[in-house]
Amino acid sequence: MGSKKRSLNSFEEVEDLDNTNTNTEDANIEDTDNDNTSSNLNRKKMKKDKNKETETPDGDASKAGLSSISSSMKPMERRKKRKALDKERQHAALENKEVKTKKMDVDSKVTENKEHTGASSRGTLPKFHIGVFKDLASVDVSVREGAVERLVTELQEVQKAYEVTENKEVVEGELKLEAEKDDGLNDCAPSVRYTMRRLVRGASSSRECARQGFALGLTVLVDTIPSIKVGSVLKLIVDLLEVSSSMKGQDIRDCLLGRLFAYGALALSGRLAEDNLFIKEFTDVLISLAAKKRYLQEPAVAIILELVGKLPTEAVLNHILEAPRMREWFEGCPSRLFMPGHLSSIINCLKESTFCQPRVHGVWPVLVNILLPDIVVQAEDVVSASNSLKKHKKSRKSSSSEEEITRSIQSFCEVIIEGSLLLSSHDRKHLAFDILLLLLPRLPASFIPYVLSHKVVQCMVDILSTKDSWLYKVAQHFLKELSDWVGNDDVRRVAVIVALQKHSNARFDGITKTKTVKALVTEFKTEVGCMLFIQNLMSMFVDEGNASEEPSDQSQTTDDNSEMGSVEDKDSNDFLKTWVVESLPSILKHLKLEPEAKFRVQKEILKFLAVQGLFSASLGSEVTSFELQEKFKWPKAATSSAICRLCIEQIQSLLANAQKIEGLHSMSSGLEHGDLGSYFMRFLSTLRNIPSVSLFRSLSDDDEKAFEKLQEMEIRLSREEKNCVISVEANKLHAMRFLLIQLLLQVLLRPGEFSEAASELVICCKKAFAASDLLDSSGEEGLDDDADPKLMDVLVDTFLSLLPQSSAPLRSAIEQVFKYFCNDVTNDGLLRMLRVIKKDLKPPRHREEGRDDDDDDDEDFLGIEEEGEGEGEGEGEMDEAETGETGEDEEQTDDSEAVAEVEEAGKELSDDSDGGMDDDAMFRMDAYLAQIFKDRKNQAGGETAQSQLVLFKLRVLSLLEVYLHENPAVPEVLMVYLNLVRAFVNPQTAEISEQFGQRIWGILQKKILKAKDFPRGGAVQLPTLESLLEKNLKLASKPLKRKKSAGNLSKKKQSAMWKRHKMIVSLAQDSTFWILKIIGARNFSECELQGVIDIFKGELARYFESKTSQIKSDFLTEIYRRKPWIGHHLFGFLLEKCSSAKLEFRRVEALDVVIEILKSMVSSGNDESNRSASKKTLKNHLQKLSHLVKELATNMPEKSSRRAEVRKFCGKVFRYVSTYDLTKSFVKYLTPEAEAACESQLGELYLNFKKVER
């Protein structure tokens, strides 16, 4: 038995231990005395404590008699004597007062006696106030300490005076406070002797904090007054606190605790260190006391350890260890404490230490101290880390002491933690986690496999899998402390990650619903830590026994449903290997290292993935490469094909990420020092040349040829790149090399599908990089430029054939190559990509027979058919237009009447024809679709062919986005724009995939309509732009059509339709601005621009004359603001149409358009030339302006908001007219009726305007 050395400056801990034992062991240290809830015992104890407080020498004897009588009486007799006891208690109180009075009289008599006899003044004893004992039991610590200080100070003075008194017999006779007893305190003053007896007895009192206060007073008093002998104190403790046969229950407990506190006070006083004669006796009586009750054992050992800390080594060896009872203790223990046999013999005793929970029993810290002595943990961890990174060297030899510690910790964890505590109750599982927390601070990382064993991890997994578990917070706290213990130590981090994942089949985070392992993995900061982690993961992958080294009887530690069969063992092993493979590249995501260090980490990961995923050893499981000077290992059992495929996919991702990080190729560092792709190909070639190593799967003849061609071409391009001095050409070579590597891996990943594409790509490489060493002398692949198609057409076809079934890294490599070659893409290649965007698996529902799609393309760029605006518009429809004057008003109409616009737009806007395709292009398109159907067939229960087609389109969109980014100003942008708009407005786009529509919208907005550059040059024909402009204006004015079936659609679908309609209108408006920007950059003559003016005239006419035109006045205003020249040409026409408008709300809306144009026509310059030009311009339109004002005043709207708009417009017109002194001319054009209407409707506004005329 043992414990850490504890300070006993206060006795709360021992008191808490005792009270915890008798009161269900749940109380806290300071408050345990208040938790004794037995009413009878408490009532009896309160009476005894009160008697102790008020006792006198006679009263003490009386109380002892009463106690004896009370203990011997039967319950009935005690009840009858209750009144008598109360009287005796009152009598004792009176005696106490008499004692105080007597003491004062005696003191005065002694003083008078001294004065009369002429004795020395030193013979007079100072006063001692016994009322200080009351404060010793106070709950307030400061009050108790103050009482002790006063008590000791007064008694020091009393003792000093007593020692110099010549006639001690007189003083003792006058100051007898108790009956004379043989207590051994003959050299002490009567007050000191009385106090000693009072303090010893008070240590047994359970009233408030009496034990703590009286024990503290005893400690300080014995330490301060040398006259108090150690032997006398020991005798006094035994005499005053002896347990008699008549005592029961609480009385026995009080006496035992009183002796414990008294012994503790004596040990803390330090007097035993000065008098070695009594150390053996003290140790024996303390051990004897500990043997009486279990709850006394731990504090008794703590007192012994406290005494050991105050004694020299010689005294400990000669006195404490030689004490008879101490020798009996150690004789029962074997020489090797942590041997499994001995631990098994004491485990039952140790399990009982849970009685003091939530506090950990003191025996466990002592065991931990013995188990893990103070060793340099950091140094050991660094050594273990460095050793784990060394290869082909024998592990270092451990010293005998280290081996002994290793065996001890292993035995301790297996026997105590796993074999006992984890198999028992929740309390003992809780204790197991507490013990592990005690081990952590001084635990070397090399011991983590023993501490976080299979059963411990499984216990945590089972607890944390259910939040309602009783130990959930305990396990959660343990995980937090474990993470804090790891800190920034990579050695600890690796050990913890490996232990948690190894014993949970890599499912720790998944089952426990935590992010413990994920957080630990992302915190690697150093190259050494990463390398250590990689080495451990590799060992986990190769070691076949890692997942099954523990028996599958997991139910022993946790639940009964944790067992796994042999079939599940294999699956779990694959699950662990899957986690290893996925974790290796993920290290690099959050790693910030220097490029060279990061490249070394990448190489280590790449080698492992390549060895385990691409190759297998035909002879044994180990192969040594003398060229690489490395030894490679494989699992004894063949790796599953799923794991091999996962390794290849991770290699692809690793290479793709490396390519992105590299960015533009730098020739200064050379290929050998930073090119992960080049290193991989050299490593691949080296392993393939080892006779006993082969690819993990056999390849067909076609795939074997494709594999060799790709490998050979990559070597040639690498050589060419190394010798290249032009950075642009080097970038092309670099991107193409990575594409070849990705395609080579894809051939292994999906055999039989990429051999043809690989051959075509090799041919493209030979044509693109027409160096002498890239051409085959045999001429087996004809390279006659006249006979073969253009390079970029073949390259685009190759890309399109790869995209349907390509992986993400392969697509990234394709995009990188396309980025450097897209400047050379032909129109045919571009059209092939655009036809994929337009292609649908569903046939058109309303295809007109004999319709020529090519002609349709020429006639209608956006597929918008002309709408008849026949005479069938009745008055009722006109009234409807009146109520739905603006877009906002229209949206307030019943949604059930506005449903079918998408389907109707599909008829008018879609164009799914394959017209213009030659036979070769049609064949290729069919091949792409055939590949999609093949993928659908191979993926049982997977995605549909339609969803596969959408993915194919999204991948082609990525290529188009690259093309637009690299070529924003070429005329072909118009062709891309046109096809993307058609695809976007096609209703099937919204039906099939919202993501596809959003992607097209994003490309149109970011890469075309709002790009910094736009198509320039003479290749862009004005008629084409005029046609696009006209169609976009019609699209912007197109209303949302309604059908009777609209009421059957849900509100969600109706809302989606409204949203889509707004997006189409917005697209048309943005397209209009973009086309006008292109037209404005060409600097066409006024005559050439007449067609543009006519288009806007027609749109304005429809705006005023047709209720179906939903073009926004704000949109027209923005057009004239951006392009003032259009407004200048249309101003007169606009005034005429506004004056003759049949629809009142249209006329009022157009007033803002009129003001915007007028503002741009009238210059704000102050020079005379600008003023005269503006006046002339305004004068030319003065008559039409006055006519418009007349119409507005004559036909003033009824709505107040519109009347306000009219007055605002007229005010601005009057201001412009008066500014240029044209008021008289303006009024001249007004008829008397018009003037009267203006005065009536406009009032002061018009009258003030006329005043300017005068």
Side-chain angles (χ1 to χ4, degrees):
M1 299 178 62
S3 173
K4 283 186 178 180
K5 295 181 180 180
R6 301 188 181 186
S7 174
L8 294 182
N9 291 332
S10 65
F11 292 85
E12 287 88 341
E13 182 179 7
V14 181
E15 176 66 10
D16 169 60
L17 178 65
D18 176 51
N19 289 335
T20 303
N21 181 59
T22 58
N23 292 280
T24 67
E25 305 172 356
D26 289 326
N28 292 327
I29 291 177
E30 288 291 336
D31 300 322
T32 52
D33 284 331
N34 296 327
D35 293 335
N36 297 325
T37 58
S38 177
S39 59
N40 292 331
L41 291 176
N42 282 345
R43 190 179 300 114
K44 178 179 178 182
K45 187 157 188 62
M46 289 174 63
K47 295 176 181 178
K48 291 186 176 183
D49 291 337
K50 191 168 183 181
N51 289 335
K52 286 184 179 181
E53 287 292 321
T54 58
E55 66 184 352
T56 62
D58 296 334
D60 184 46
S62 175
K63 178 192 172 301
L66 288 173
S67 176
S68 176
I69 294 172
S70 177
S71 300
S72 62
M73 283 184 179
K74 295 182 180 180
M76 290 294 295
E77 294 176 345
R78 284 198 298 271
R79 283 196 293 271
K80 291 179 181 180
K81 297 296 183 178
R82 186 175 299 158
K83 293 182 179 180
L85 291 174
D86 292 337
K87 291 180 180 180
E88 290 175 0
R89 186 168 59 254
Q90 294 175 1
H91 178 68
L94 292 174
E95 288 180 347
N96 189 24
K97 293 181 179 179
E98 292 176 359
V99 169
K100 293 181 181 179
T101 305
K102 183 177 180 180
K103 177 183 180 301
M104 295 175 61
D105 294 341
V106 171
D107 287 340
S108 62
K109 290 179 180 179
V110 171
T111 303
E112 293 174 0
N113 185 38
K114 291 296 179 181
E115 291 177 353
H116 290 298
T117 57
S120 174
S121 60
R122 290 177 300 172
T124 302
L125 299 184
K127 294 182 180 180
F128 171 62
H129 302 87
I130 61 175
V132 74
F133 291 110
K134 183 177 180 181
D135 293 337
L136 290 179
S138 174
V139 177
D140 191 345
V141 176
S142 59
V143 173
R144 295 201 305 268
E145 292 177 350
V148 170
E149 184 178 358
R150 295 196 304 274
L151 181 143
V152 173
T153 302
E154 290 184 5
L155 290 178
Q156 277 183 308
E157 296 177 359
V158 171
Q159 182 63 26
K160 288 180 181 178
Y162 177 77
E163 290 176 353
V164 298
T165 300
E166 298 176 357
N167 194 0
K168 292 183 175 58
E169 292 78 5
V170 176
V171 176
E172 290 177 357
E174 297 293 339
L175 295 178
K176 283 186 179 179
L177 299 180
E178 275 193 272
E180 189 172 342
K181 296 182 180 180
D182 184 15
D183 52 13
L185 299 174
N186 299 328
D187 297 334
C188 298
S191 298
V192 175
R193 297 173 65 183
Y194 168 75
T195 301
M196 284 294 298
R197 300 174 66 84
R198 185 74 181 271
L199 291 176
V200 171
R201 283 198 302 267
S204 66
S205 173
S206 61
R207 182 175 62 88
E208 292 184 337
C209 295
R211 288 196 180 100
Q212 289 88 338
F214 280 80
L216 178 62
L218 184 61
T219 301
V220 180
L221 186 62
V222 172
D223 181 41
T224 306
I225 299 179
S227 300
I228 301 174
K229 305 301 181 183
V230 174
S232 301
V233 177
L234 290 174
K235 184 176 184 301
L236 197 63
I237 293 173
V238 174
D239 293 342
L240 294 179
L241 299 177
E242 183 179 4
V243 177
S244 64
S245 59
S246 62
M247 292 184 179
K248 296 181 181 179
Q250 185 71 21
D251 294 333
I252 297 176
R253 179 175 174 273
D254 289 341
C255 284
L256 293 178
L257 285 176
R259 291 179 66 180
L260 181 70
F261 272 78
Y263 289 138
L266 182 58
L268 285 173
S269 68
R271 292 291 300 278
L272 288 170
E274 300 173 1
D275 193 351
N276 295 340
L277 298 177
F278 295 96
I279 293 178
K280 283 185 181 181
E281 180 184 351
F282 177 82
T283 305
D284 275 346
V285 295
L286 194 56
I287 295 176
S288 177
L289 176 66
K292 295 183 181 296
K293 295 291 181 180
R294 186 179 63 178
Y295 59 80
L296 298 174
Q297 294 175 2
E298 182 184 4
V301 173
I303 293 173
I304 293 176
L305 291 177
E306 182 69 27
L307 178 61
V308 168
K310 295 179 178 295
L311 296 177
T313 305
E314 184 179 357
V316 174
L317 295 175
N318 296 333
H319 298 283
I320 291 183
L321 295 180
E322 293 298 326
R325 294 185 181 272
M326 181 67 73
R327 295 178 63 183
E328 292 177 5
W329 267 7
F330 283 101
E331 285 176 0
C333 299
S335 58
R336 306 182 73 174
L337 178 61
F338 294 104
M339 292 294 292
H342 179 251
L343 289 175
S344 300
S345 65
I346 64 173
I347 186 59
N348 291 330
C349 177
L350 293 176
K351 284 195 297 186
E352 297 302 320
S353 64
T354 54
F355 74 89
C356 61
Q357 278 189 348
R359 186 176 59 82
V360 179
H361 196 284
V363 70
W364 296 110
V366 175
L367 288 176
V368 170
N369 290 342
I370 301 173
L371 184 62
L372 292 174
D374 294 332
I375 57 176
V376 185
V377 178
Q378 290 81 1
E380 181 173 337
D381 287 343
V382 170
V383 171
S384 66
S386 61
N387 287 334
S388 63
L389 295 176
K390 294 179 181 178
K391 301 175 183 178
H392 309 298
K393 292 185 179 180
K394 295 182 179 180
S395 59
R396 66 188 182 95
K397 295 182 179 180
S398 301
S399 64
S400 59
S401 60
E402 292 175 350
E403 293 177 354
E404 183 67 28
I405 293 174
T406 303
R407 286 194 296 268
S408 297
I409 192 70
Q410 186 174 4
S411 300
F412 181 82
C413 293
E414 290 177 355
V415 177
I416 302 296
I417 303 297
E418 301 173 28
S420 177
L421 298 180
L422 291 183
L423 299 179
S424 190
S425 63
H426 288 308
D427 286 336
R428 287 170 182 166
K429 287 188 177 73
H430 188 179
L431 177 61
F433 286 114
D434 289 337
I435 295 170
L436 294 180
L437 289 178
L438 290 176
L439 288 172
L440 279 182
R442 53 175 66 212
L443 187 71
S446 58
F447 289 170
I448 281 292
Y450 307 122
V451 174
L452 294 182
S453 62
H454 180 82
K455 292 182 180 180
V456 171
V457 174
Q458 283 298 314
C459 184
M460 280 196 294
V461 166
D462 287 338
I463 293 171
L464 292 172
S465 62
T466 306
K467 284 192 175 182
D468 296 334
S469 173
W470 190 79
L471 292 174
Y472 182 81
K473 291 186 177 180
V474 175
Q476 202 173 38
H477 174 68
F478 177 76
L479 269 185
K480 179 182 179 299
E481 294 297 322
L482 186 64
S483 299
D484 294 342
W485 174 75
V486 169
N488 295 322
D489 192 327
D490 287 336
V491 181
R492 294 179 176 179
R493 178 175 291 106
V494 171
V496 171
I497 293 173
V498 170
L500 294 179
Q501 293 296 86
K502 178 179 178 181
H503 299 307
S504 64
N505 292 324
R507 301 176 184 178
F508 188 85
D509 281 356
I511 299 177
T512 61
K513 299 178 180 62
T514 63
K515 296 182 180 179
T516 305
V517 175
K518 182 179 178 181
L520 290 173
V521 171
T522 58
E523 291 176 358
F524 284 101
K525 299 291 190 302
T526 63
E527 179 186 0
V528 175
C530 290
M531 290 296 190
L532 178 61
F533 186 47
I534 293 170
Q535 294 294 332
N536 278 268
L537 291 183
M538 292 165 58
S539 299
M540 288 177 65
F541 188 95
V542 175
D543 183 10
E544 286 295 326
N546 57 49
S548 58
E549 64 183 12
E550 292 287 340
S552 59
D553 57 346
Q554 299 170 15
S555 58
Q556 292 182 2
T557 60
T558 54
D559 298 331
D560 294 335
N561 58 357
S562 300
E563 297 190 13
M564 298 181 180
S566 59
V567 177
E568 294 179 352
D569 289 340
K570 182 177 180 181
D571 294 339
S572 64
N573 197 18
D574 276 356
F575 200 92
L576 181 62
K577 290 183 178 180
T578 300
W579 174 78
V580 171
V581 173
E582 291 176 345
S583 297
L584 283 170
S586 66
I587 303 173
L588 301 169
K589 289 183 179 179
H590 307 280
L591 192 62
K592 296 180 180 180
L593 294 176
E594 294 296 326
E596 293 183 1
K598 192 167 188 178
F599 183 65
R600 287 193 292 268
V601 175
Q602 288 175 328
K603 286 197 304 182
E604 201 68 24
I605 296 173
L606 188 65
K607 286 190 295 183
F608 173 74
L609 293 176
V611 169
Q612 303 301 331
L614 300 180
F615 297 99
S616 62
S618 57
L619 300 176
S621 60
E622 290 189 9
V623 173
T624 301
S625 171
F626 296 101
E627 181 178 350
L628 298 175
Q629 296 183 352
E630 287 190 62
K631 180 185 291 186
F632 302 104
K633 295 179 63 176
W634 283 266
K636 294 181 180 179
T639 304
S640 65
S641 58
I643 299 297
C644 291
R645 287 195 300 270
L646 182 61
C647 288
I648 295 175
E649 291 171 356
Q650 293 298 327
I651 294 173
Q652 287 183 311
S653 299
L654 188 62
L655 292 172
N657 292 332
Q659 186 181 10
K660 291 178 183 178
I661 294 173
E662 288 173 12
L664 294 177
H665 183 62
S666 175
M667 297 303 299
S668 60
S669 59
L671 278 174
E672 303 296 331
H673 301 290
D675 190 344
L676 195 63
S678 177
Y679 177 82
F680 169 72
M681 294 303 292
R682 287 191 294 107
F683 184 78
L684 179 70
S685 177
T686 302
L687 283 186
R688 287 201 75 190
N689 292 331
I690 299 176
S692 60
V693 174
S694 60
L695 291 175
F696 77 101
R697 65 163 31 131
S698 58
L699 299 176
S700 64
D701 293 340
D702 292 339
D703 286 341
E704 184 69 30
K705 290 180 181 179
F707 189 92
E708 292 177 356
K709 287 180 180 180
L710 290 171
Q711 191 174 7
E712 181 182 358
M713 181 54 64
E714 194 280 333
I715 294 173
R716 294 181 178 182
L717 292 183
S718 178
R719 188 185 315 121
E720 186 71 16
E721 181 184 0
K722 188 175 182 180
N723 298 327
C724 185
V725 295
I726 303 174
S727 60
V728 176
E729 193 68 16
N731 290 332
K732 285 185 176 182
L733 288 164
H734 192 70
M736 186 62 78
R737 282 183 46 246
F738 269 84
L739 178 56
L740 292 172
I741 297 171
Q742 293 286 358
L743 190 54
L744 180 144
L745 292 170
Q746 202 74 10
V747 169
L748 295 173
L749 193 61
R750 301 180 65 171
E753 298 181 12
F754 292 89
S755 56
E756 183 178 352
S759 299
E760 291 181 357
L761 187 60
V762 170
I763 295 174
C764 291
C765 290
K766 293 178 180 179
K767 296 182 71 173
F769 309 105
S772 59
D773 62 337
L774 297 183
L775 300 178
D776 288 338
S777 59
S778 61
E780 60 179 354
E781 301 167 356
L783 296 174
D784 186 1
D785 292 336
D786 296 333
D788 290 341
K790 292 184 178 180
L791 166 65
M792 283 310 301
D793 290 343
V794 178
L795 195 58
V796 168
D797 284 338
T798 303
F799 290 164
L800 292 178
S801 65
L802 289 172
L803 285 177
Q805 69 273 25
S806 61
S807 61
L810 180 58
R811 293 196 299 273
S812 177
I814 290 173
E815 292 173 11
Q816 288 294 321
V817 174
F818 187 76
K819 174 183 176 182
Y820 293 113
F821 284 86
C822 65
N823 293 334
D824 301 326
V825 172
T826 64
N827 286 344
D828 290 339
L830 203 56
L831 283 172
R832 288 188 180 96
M833 291 189 288
L834 292 172
R835 287 190 181 103
V836 174
I837 301 300
K838 295 192 301 178
K839 189 65 182 177
D840 285 324
L841 294 180
K842 297 180 181 179
R845 290 175 292 180
H846 302 288
R847 174 80 65 191
E848 296 181 6
E849 295 183 2
R851 178 177 175 180
D852 191 342
D853 294 310
D854 289 336
D855 294 339
D856 180 69
D857 285 345
D858 295 335
E859 293 173 2
D860 188 3
F861 281 87
L862 292 176
I864 304 176
E865 298 176 356
E866 292 290 342
E867 289 185 352
E869 301 176 4
E871 301 294 334
E873 300 173 357
E875 290 297 328
E877 294 177 333
M878 293 291 291
D879 294 339
E880 182 182 353
E882 285 286 340
T883 60
E885 298 151 353
T886 63
E888 290 76 5
D889 294 332
E890 280 191 283
E891 291 178 8
Q892 297 173 4
T893 60
D894 187 5
D895 289 343
S896 63
E897 299 177 359
V899 176
E901 186 273 344
V902 175
E903 294 183 0
E904 191 65 24
K907 299 177 185 177
E908 300 176 354
L909 301 177
S910 63
D911 181 13
D912 298 323
S913 67
D914 292 323
M917 279 191 181
D918 55 16
D919 293 340
D920 191 36
M922 288 290 292
F923 176 78
R924 292 190 183 95
M925 181 63 70
D926 292 340
Y928 306 152
L929 298 179
Q931 183 63 50
I932 291 173
F933 282 113
K934 181 180 178 181
D935 289 342
R936 179 191 179 189
K937 182 178 179 180
N938 291 337
Q939 295 177 355
E943 299 169 324
T944 63
Q946 188 65 55
S947 62
Q948 286 289 317
L949 179 59
V950 170
L951 289 177
F952 184 27
K953 289 183 176 184
L954 290 172
R955 294 165 185 177
V956 175
L957 278 178
S958 297
L959 295 184
L960 290 173
E961 188 174 9
V962 172
Y963 176 83
L964 293 172
H965 181 77
E966 297 296 326
N967 303 278
V970 297
E972 286 76 13
V973 172
L974 281 172
M975 180 171 60
V976 177
Y977 158 79
L978 175 60
N979 285 272
L980 291 182
V981 170
R982 283 177 177 171
F984 181 77
V985 299
N986 187 347
Q988 291 185 5
T989 300
E991 294 174 1
I992 295 172
S993 172
E994 182 180 357
Q995 180 187 5
F996 180 55
Q998 292 292 337
R999 185 72 186 282
I1000 294 177
W1001 170 268
I1003 293 175
L1004 284 170
Q1005 293 292 327
K1006 295 179 182 179
K1007 300 299 180 183
I1008 297 179
L1009 302 179
K1010 296 181 180 179
K1012 293 182 180 179
D1013 210 347
F1014 52 88
R1016 303 175 185 271
V1020 181
Q1021 299 297 322
L1022 182 59
T1024 302
L1025 297 174
E1026 290 176 349
S1027 178
L1028 285 173
L1029 179 63
E1030 183 178 6
K1031 301 307 178 182
N1032 276 293
L1033 286 174
K1034 287 183 180 180
L1035 187 60
S1037 64
K1038 192 174 184 63
L1040 178 66
K1041 292 189 177 181
R1042 302 167 175 83
K1043 284 189 177 181
K1044 294 182 180 180
S1045 60
N1048 299 328
L1049 295 179
S1050 64
K1051 290 185 177 181
K1052 184 177 181 180
K1053 289 186 177 180
Q1054 294 179 25
S1055 176
M1057 285 171 38
W1058 274 108
K1059 181 180 178 181
R1060 177 171 167 77
H1061 174 71
K1062 290 180 180 179
M1063 291 181 69
I1064 292 175
V1065 171
S1066 176
L1067 175 62
Q1069 293 177 356
D1070 292 338
S1071 299
T1072 301
F1073 297 140
W1074 182 65
I1075 294 167
L1076 289 175
K1077 183 167 62 173
I1078 297 174
I1079 294 174
R1082 292 291 304 278
N1083 296 322
F1084 290 108
S1085 64
E1086 185 174 339
C1087 180
E1088 291 175 315
L1089 293 175
Q1090 188 59 44
V1092 177
I1093 302 301
D1094 292 340
I1095 292 172
F1096 279 99
K1097 277 187 178 180
E1099 192 58 41
L1100 275 178
R1102 283 190 294 274
Y1103 174 73
F1104 284 105
E1105 296 170 3
S1106 174
K1107 67 177 183 63
T1108 59
S1109 176
Q1110 293 298 316
I1111 197 166
K1112 305 295 182 184
S1113 61
D1114 294 340
F1115 172 53
L1116 295 174
T1117 302
E1118 184 65 18
I1119 291 175
Y1120 301 141
R1121 187 186 68 79
R1122 295 187 183 189
K1123 303 297 177 184
W1125 58 273
I1126 299 177
H1128 296 171
H1129 284 85
L1130 296 176
F1131 189 61
F1133 180 77
L1134 177 60
L1135 292 176
E1136 292 175 1
K1137 287 295 181 180
C1138 193
S1139 299
S1140 61
K1142 296 179 181 180
L1143 303 176
E1144 181 184 279
F1145 76 92
R1146 287 284 167 84
R1147 175 188 291 163
V1148 176
E1149 279 184 352
L1151 296 180
D1152 288 338
V1153 182
V1154 174
I1155 290 298
E1156 181 65 33
I1157 298 176
L1158 184 61
K1159 183 170 61 176
S1160 65
M1161 293 175 64
V1162 180
S1163 175
S1164 59
N1166 295 324
D1167 57 288
E1168 190 62 30
S1169 60
N1170 287 336
R1171 180 177 175 83
S1172 59
S1174 299
K1175 183 176 181 179
K1176 181 179 179 180
T1177 301
L1178 184 59
K1179 190 173 184 179
N1180 291 337
H1181 298 284
L1182 196 61
Q1183 185 176 0
K1184 293 181 180 180
L1185 269 175
S1186 63
H1187 182 66
L1188 177 58
V1189 171
K1190 172 230 171 186
E1191 291 294 327
L1192 291 171
T1194 305
N1195 302 292
M1196 183 65 72
E1198 295 182 358
K1199 288 186 177 182
S1200 59
S1201 59
R1202 293 178 184 171
R1203 294 168 68 89
E1205 290 293 329
V1206 170
R1207 291 192 181 94
K1208 180 180 177 181
F1209 170 78
C1210 292
K1212 290 183 179 180
V1213 171
F1214 293 160
R1215 186 164 61 252
Y1216 281 123
V1217 171
S1218 60
T1219 300
Y1220 291 96
D1221 301 327
L1222 295 174
T1223 305
K1224 186 175 182 180
S1225 300
F1226 184 87
V1227 175
K1228 183 179 178 181
Y1229 289 122
L1230 294 176
T1231 62
E1233 294 80 4
E1235 286 196 64
C1238 288
E1239 291 178 1
S1240 174
Q1241 299 295 334
L1242 301 179
E1244 292 294 330
L1245 185 65
Y1246 180 71
L1247 294 176
N1248 293 335
F1249 171 67
K1250 286 185 67 177
K1251 289 180 182 178
V1252 179
E1253 176 191 1
R1254 301 189 184 96

